[in-house]
Amino acid sequence: MIHISHLRLRSITANRIYGADMPFRAGLNVIQAGNTSGKSTSLQAIIYALGLERSLGPQLDVPLPYAMRERIHPRKDDEYELVIESYVEIEIRNAKGQSIIVRRDIVGGKDRKLIQTWAGPGLASGGTRSNPRDFYAIDRGSAQAEDGFYTYLAGFIGWTLPKVPRFDGTESPLYLEAIFPMLFVEQKRGWSTIQGPFPTFLKIQDVARRVMEFLLDLDVGKIRRRRTELRNAISTELVRWTQRRGALEDIAQRVGRLRGIPTAPTAEFAIAPELRLEILRDGEWVAIDEAVRVAKARVTELEETPIEDTEAAVPEMLERLEVVRTDIDRLSAQLEALRSEANLEEQEQRALRARLESLQQDLKRNEDALKLRRLGSDLGHAAGEHVCPTCHQDVSSELLPAVEAVGMGLEENISFVKSQIELYRVGLDSANERVKDCYARFRARDDELREAQSELRSLRQAILQPSKAPSRIVIEEIVRLQAFLERATSFEEAAIIASEELQAIAQVWSRLQEELKATPPDNLTNNDSTKIYALQDAIQRRIQAYGFRSFQPSEIILSLENQRPLALTRDEDGDVVEKEITFEVSASDGIRLKWAYYLSLLQLARNHAGLVVYDEPGQQEIDASSLYAFLKDGARDKSPGRQIIISTSEPLPAVKAAVGEEANVINFDGFILQPLLR
Amino acid sequence: MTLSLQPERFSFRSRPIAVPGDLRIEWRVSIIVLMLGYSRAKQASLAKLHILNDAIRASRSEHLLELVVKAKPGRMPWTFRVEPAFGRAVDFVVGDKLAGWTTTADRSALQLTAQGVRLFDALTRDADLLTSEKDVLAKYAKTMTETMVTAVLSAARKAK
């Protein structure tokens, strides 16, 4: 909870100090003053002091008018004086009864990004302030860092802000700036929509929905959150898996190729991992065990044969020389063929990748087109109804180059593109596999070639040796085989370790998958629906009392998706349909609905901060009687946990009559900011 | 086995074809409204719209916009494409009174009507829609002046 106990504005010129002080109480507070007297300034100063001005729009530097920034005068016809220094201070209180004073300078003082707080006696009573603390606002990190003001403010209010997904795929806390538009209705843009308007610069996905889920404390948000956490954990495991697998594959590539490790963890691998290393022997992939067995047998065989001297071995060597020469020619040719095969495969891989990319873009566009239908008639006839605005003929395929063709429906098109994406993904995966396989074969052949070349060299040298020297051929073959056996063994050891690690990852992954499956679907729970219907009832009752006329109050319902109001109407065929409210109700009924929505939310939302600020609710030349009904309704709420602050320029006696004795009416004649008596 | 003398007739039925997302009217109209809405005074010459359209269509030419806005003109041999579908979508935008014809820098231009501005506001408010397109347009539509458009057009001419 957050209540404003006191607001203090100061604007200092060379000659005097201008200022205003407003004490606020729980319940209804009304600031009554004429037009352009500084009511909005006062209310915006609250937002400014809390560092939340970006919730009104990202471009606002200081959302305060020139009286707090540049020049000021006590009455309309007096001369202006230049503002040298100015600041705003508010005293806020939370549910635990803690009070702090918050100060932010505007002109001439400390950096505007600095927000200072004190504990201490109330602002009104003055006295020494204690426990000063400085916080940074606006800057990156102010919502997450320890000394960021938003972290502090959220804690003060008693909010634990949920993490929400952003458009760029990252996550952020649900920033206070996103929530405050549901507590503070600013005069210029605030009345344009029922919910919000929410700032877009935070780039939070589905921001209206996230804010409403948080304020109403819906289970669906928590379930989704848990699901996201699980998904994130799963993808972390996937990344670890890919890295570990990649590392093992790198080692494997020096010897042969790796089989049996899926590209992503599987439940089967978690239980019974099975991986094989294969090496190329005479054009065939054989299991490493087999190759090792053959190599060992050959070593034994060679070690048992007595070493001949060179002279005896020469005829055999010459024969062997011929064989090796042919081998080298064959291998070189094969390598060339493999190289061009790999090139081809890579080309296909690239083509598939490009196609996938453009399909994904296409999918996004079709999906956007589907979402755009929400805007309905606002899009115009051509886009909204597919009727030509001029000739009234059907234009559904008008942008297509071949006019005779009939275009798919959007939904059908989206699933068509999705299935294509799926297809191409599979294609790309197998292309990747083939490219890898090509390279593995290439490397194996290359090794063979090098071995043959070195054998050729040693044969030549051997033939030239003195005739009584022992033949080197056998010895060299033994050395080559030993080297291979060593490589194979060290790889097998690495594979055993990696296999254990991979199995552990797969086990964690399986467990997470299991939990994800067990998480209930993203639907509203019964509890959630009860909360939403209660809010809907409260809104319907209120708009009735406020003189809402565009629809029967019972025809205004809340979307179950993000709780925005919808109107139930009948379409041409007489079926009941839900329509967006913005285009269906009169401007003044939109205002009535906004009053009702925010008050009902204050009354019912469990995570509400207990504060609603309406800047000039008398918009759109609304009936005075409606406005008084609203003020009376606001005054009726006596709960100590709720505070409503309203500014109005309606005449004072009428306001007083509407709100009764108990509301706190603060009245100003002329400008709110006045020279203070020394 | 006897063969029937009268062979069965083949019949062909046309199946709906997949439509690329950028040829959807709702998508296109919205994009044009966004282009105009992000531009200064909510207006832009037809030439500028064509350039933006080409940049939006494929990420390939997006970095070219960067060059246009940041680099010296004349250094960008950009033969951008003019797309017929875009012209038809412009007609719809005008027909639906979302924008009206005007001139700017001696070029025929479009300017959003009040109705168009309303749609633009609705589009920008919905943070869920057309996100990447909005990012690009918000960045470049505002900063690209008609002088830069002239530079691109003449550079394209020189390059040919």
Side-chain angles (χ1 to χ4, degrees):
Chain A
M1 185 197 94
I2 180 173
H3 280 185
I4 316 290
S5 321
H6 195 95
L7 167 68
R8 169 170 292 172
L9 300 171
R10 289 291 182 270
S11 199
I12 301 158
T13 68
N15 304 320
R16 46 191 165 178
I17 300 175
Y18 288 78
D21 275 275
M22 289 176 218
F24 297 118
R25 302 201 299 246
L28 178 65
N29 298 270
V30 181
I31 305 173
Q32 190 283 332
N35 282 324
T36 60
S37 57
K39 296 188 301 296
S40 294
T41 312
S42 311
L43 295 182
Q44 281 168 4
I46 296 176
I47 283 289
Y48 178 76
L50 295 174
L52 294 172
E53 65 269 25
R54 286 186 309 171
S55 64
L56 311 177
Q59 71 281 27
L60 288 171
D61 185 17
V62 178
L64 295 171
Y66 56 76
M68 295 298 290
R69 289 185 285 118
E70 287 161 24
R71 50 194 189 136
I72 188 165
H73 55 182
R75 276 177 306 276
K76 209 171 144 204
D77 302 322
D78 291 348
E79 283 221 358
Y80 279 109
E81 296 175 56
L82 293 179
V83 175
I84 298 168
E85 220 178 293
S86 61
Y87 63 83
V88 47
E89 284 183 341
I90 59 172
E91 184 184 339
I92 53 177
R93 199 165 58 78
N94 66 9
K96 291 183 199 150
Q98 297 167 327
S99 275
I100 53 164
I101 297 169
V102 179
R103 172 187 172 129
R104 190 168 169 205
D105 289 335
I106 304 162
V107 179
K110 300 201 162 137
D111 191 316
R112 279 180 194 153
K113 287 177 182 163
L114 188 73
I115 294 181
Q116 299 163 273
T117 69
W118 292 270
L123 249 185
S125 61
T128 348
R129 300 170 180 190
S130 59
N131 193 14
R133 290 181 72 180
D134 287 352
F135 293 100
Y136 274 90
I138 312 294
D139 276 350
R140 202 175 255 274
S142 8
Q144 297 184 62
E146 199 47 35
D147 56 352
F149 183 67
Y150 305 127
T151 324
Y152 177 73
L153 186 58
F156 184 83
I157 298 175
W159 276 345
T160 314
L161 299 177
K163 289 246 165 152
V164 290
R166 303 176 46 162
F167 286 117
D168 56 10
T170 59
E171 286 197 324
S172 69
L174 183 63
Y175 293 110
L176 293 178
E177 282 124 317
I179 306 175
F180 260 73
M182 290 309 291
L183 313 181
F184 188 99
V185 188
E186 183 257 348
Q187 191 187 350
K188 294 198 188 80
R189 292 174 63 233
W191 296 100
S192 60
T193 62
I194 308 295
Q195 286 177 326
F198 297 102
T200 49
F201 73 99
L202 299 166
K203 302 225 184 299
I204 295 174
Q205 276 184 31
D206 276 335
V207 63
R209 191 167 171 175
R210 304 288 172 252
V211 170
M212 293 305 293
E213 274 169 8
F214 172 68
L215 288 177
L216 291 170
D217 195 26
L218 298 185
D219 296 333
V220 62
K222 290 174 222 159
I223 294 173
R224 186 178 322 104
R225 175 80 208 126
R226 180 66 197 140
R227 189 184 294 276
T228 316
E229 278 167 9
L230 284 172
R231 286 222 179 90
N232 287 347
I234 287 173
S235 70
T236 314
E237 291 306 314
L238 190 63
V239 170
R240 285 182 55 206
W241 173 278
T242 316
Q243 282 170 351
R244 197 66 197 85
R245 182 178 184 271
L248 185 62
E249 212 158 53
D250 279 349
I251 304 175
Q253 271 170 2
R254 281 178 237 144
V255 195
R257 71 175 190 186
L258 196 60
R259 280 289 177 269
I261 305 185
T263 44
T266 59
E268 194 186 346
F269 196 93
I271 300 164
E274 198 177 311
L275 77 177
R276 297 185 311 281
L277 178 78
E278 296 174 344
I279 55 172
L280 202 62
R281 276 282 173 264
D282 302 326
E284 292 272 327
W285 289 105
V286 294
I288 193 162
D289 306 349
E290 177 62 17
V292 166
R293 202 184 51 75
V294 172
K296 278 187 179 155
R298 176 77 181 141
V299 170
T300 328
E301 189 190 325
L302 287 173
E303 277 169 348
E304 279 164 7
T305 35
I307 294 173
E308 296 175 321
D309 58 23
T310 308
E311 194 175 0
V314 162
E316 198 188 322
M317 281 195 277
L318 285 173
E319 214 173 281
R320 181 70 193 149
L321 198 66
E322 225 18 71
V323 173
V324 172
R325 275 206 184 115
T326 335
D327 273 357
I328 288 176
D329 288 348
R330 179 176 52 87
L331 284 168
S332 308
Q334 279 175 346
L335 269 179
E336 209 38 61
L338 272 172
R339 190 173 288 141
S340 64
E341 190 183 334
N343 274 341
L344 278 176
E345 293 288 2
E346 269 176 335
Q347 257 174 35
E348 188 180 342
Q349 196 184 21
R350 267 197 298 277
L352 281 168
R353 230 178 259 145
R355 178 77 188 128
L356 250 179
E357 210 169 278
S358 74
L359 273 171
Q360 251 139 3
Q361 193 178 37
D362 190 31
L363 179 66
K364 178 79 182 51
R365 286 175 176 177
N366 268 301
E367 282 174 342
D368 272 340
L370 190 64
K371 284 185 199 156
L372 281 165
R373 291 213 176 143
R374 286 203 293 245
L375 299 173
S377 58
D378 228 32
L379 269 179
H381 293 287
E385 297 146 34
H386 289 189
V387 172
C388 173
T390 317
C391 65
H392 300 288
Q393 291 192 26
D394 176 62
V395 292
S396 47
S397 2
E398 205 47 39
L399 293 183
L400 286 174
V403 184
E404 297 107 84
V406 182
M408 278 187 193
L410 261 176
E411 287 90 347
E412 189 189 356
N413 204 149
I414 286 172
S415 61
F416 174 73
V417 176
K418 274 188 181 156
S419 65
Q420 267 191 306
I421 288 181
E422 205 183 331
L423 197 70
Y424 277 98
R425 243 192 220 133
V426 174
L428 182 60
D429 282 348
S430 67
N432 290 342
E433 250 343 280
R434 283 201 305 275
V435 169
K436 248 190 240 161
D437 195 62
C438 247
Y439 279 112
R441 275 188 289 151
F442 185 84
R443 264 189 309 272
R445 283 286 143 82
D446 199 35
D447 286 348
E448 270 183 65
L449 178 63
R450 250 180 280 147
E451 242 170 66
Q453 280 165 340
S454 90
E455 194 182 346
L456 183 69
R457 268 195 305 278
S458 53
L459 277 169
R460 279 190 186 136
Q461 283 171 1
I463 291 169
L464 297 176
Q465 271 184 349
S467 51
K468 288 296 163 206
S471 161
R472 285 165 54 169
I473 298 300
V474 174
I475 301 168
E476 284 194 7
E477 189 175 355
I478 292 177
V479 170
R480 269 202 304 277
L481 285 169
Q482 294 287 18
F484 163 72
L485 284 172
E486 213 160 277
R487 264 187 300 160
T489 333
S490 81
F491 170 71
E492 276 184 318
E493 278 162 13
I496 289 167
I497 296 168
S499 165
E500 276 167 11
E501 285 177 23
L502 284 168
Q503 188 179 12
I505 295 173
Q507 279 161 354
V508 175
W509 180 88
S510 296
R511 223 185 37 248
L512 291 168
Q513 286 285 3
E514 199 180 358
E515 199 187 331
L516 182 65
K517 258 201 181 131
T519 317
D522 277 358
N523 296 334
L524 297 173
T525 60
N526 284 340
N527 214 347
D528 291 348
S529 314
T530 315
K531 285 177 186 168
I532 295 170
Y533 289 129
L535 181 64
Q536 182 177 310
D537 284 348
I539 292 171
Q540 290 176 349
R541 267 201 311 279
R542 285 207 159 89
I543 53 177
Q544 172 121 40
Y546 302 163
F548 185 88
R549 271 189 297 271
S550 298
F551 287 89
Q552 287 297 318
S554 59
E555 287 169 341
I556 300 297
I557 58 159
L558 297 185
S559 141
L560 289 178
E561 188 194 321
N562 63 7
Q563 291 77 53
R564 67 186 187 284
L566 299 171
L568 288 179
T569 57
R570 288 190 182 279
D571 65 6
E572 291 152 7
D573 306 327
D575 294 327
V576 176
V577 288
E578 296 170 357
K579 284 232 171 131
E580 292 294 334
I581 212 102
T582 329
F583 315 122
E584 300 293 328
V585 303
S586 70
S588 62
D589 270 350
I591 304 297
R592 290 184 181 92
L593 193 53
K594 178 127 189 161
W595 297 344
Y597 199 96
Y598 278 49
L599 266 196
S600 306
L601 203 61
L602 171 70
Q603 182 197 345
L604 293 169
R606 194 185 293 171
N607 270 341
H608 203 286
L611 168 71
V612 176
V613 180
Y614 295 90
D615 193 359
E616 197 58 76
Q619 297 278 322
Q620 302 285 354
E621 294 171 13
I622 203 156
D623 279 357
S625 60
S626 294
L627 183 64
Y628 295 136
F630 163 60
L631 288 176
K632 194 180 276 179
D633 188 22
R636 203 174 293 139
D637 194 339
K638 301 276 192 301
S639 157
R642 298 182 201 134
Q643 184 178 44
I644 306 167
I645 301 177
I646 292 174
S647 75
T648 180
S649 49
E650 292 294 316
L652 183 63
V655 171
K656 280 201 161 154
V659 300
E661 285 306 306
E662 291 192 35
N664 173 27
V665 180
I666 307 165
N667 145 256
F668 293 93
D669 294 323
F671 291 148
I672 289 179
L673 282 164
Q674 285 298 323
L676 299 177
L677 299 174
R678 293 182 189 242
Chain B
M1 197 179 86
T2 54
L3 284 172
S4 130
L5 288 173
Q6 193 73 46
E8 273 190 47
R9 278 168 185 271
F10 286 110
S11 70
F12 295 96
R13 199 178 306 150
S14 67
R15 290 262 169 220
I17 56 159
V19 182
D22 57 353
L23 291 183
R24 293 282 179 193
I25 302 177
E26 41 276 74
W27 190 86
R28 247 316 149 58
V29 164
S30 306
I31 287 293
I32 296 174
V33 168
L34 282 178
M35 287 173 181
L36 291 168
Y38 282 121
S39 294
R40 252 192 77 239
K42 311 264 182 239
Q43 66 174 22
S45 68
L46 210 48
K48 174 174 169 180
L49 291 179
H50 272 294
I51 292 172
L52 287 174
N53 175 57
D54 193 39
I56 277 283
R57 250 165 24 96
S59 47
R60 156 189 69 83
S61 33
E62 194 186 307
H63 73 277
L64 290 170
L65 271 188
E66 181 96 22
L67 282 183
V68 173
V69 176
K70 294 226 175 98
K72 289 181 194 118
R75 264 183 48 197
M76 39 207 178
W78 181 5
T79 42
F80 68 90
R81 304 174 193 183
V82 174
E83 197 196 353
F86 182 73
R88 284 197 288 275
V90 165
D91 289 342
F92 285 138
V93 170
V94 176
D96 269 324
K97 301 194 173 52
L98 294 168
W101 289 109
T102 167
T103 50
T104 177
D106 284 338
R107 288 202 190 91
S108 52
L110 283 177
Q111 184 167 31
L112 284 188
T113 59
Q115 201 178 328
V117 172
R118 206 164 64 136
L119 175 57
F120 173 71
D121 288 340
L123 290 171
T124 43
R125 213 162 29 233
D126 198 333
D128 198 16
L129 271 175
L130 304 169
T131 42
S132 56
E133 288 85 357
K134 272 189 224 162
D135 279 351
V136 175
L137 290 177
K139 197 153 143 208
Y140 296 113
K142 201 175 287 174
T143 38
M144 191 198 268
T145 61
E146 293 299 334
T147 325
M148 294 175 186
V149 172
T150 314
V152 175
L153 291 179
S154 53
R157 219 166 283 143
K158 267 179 230 156
K160 269 173 198 169

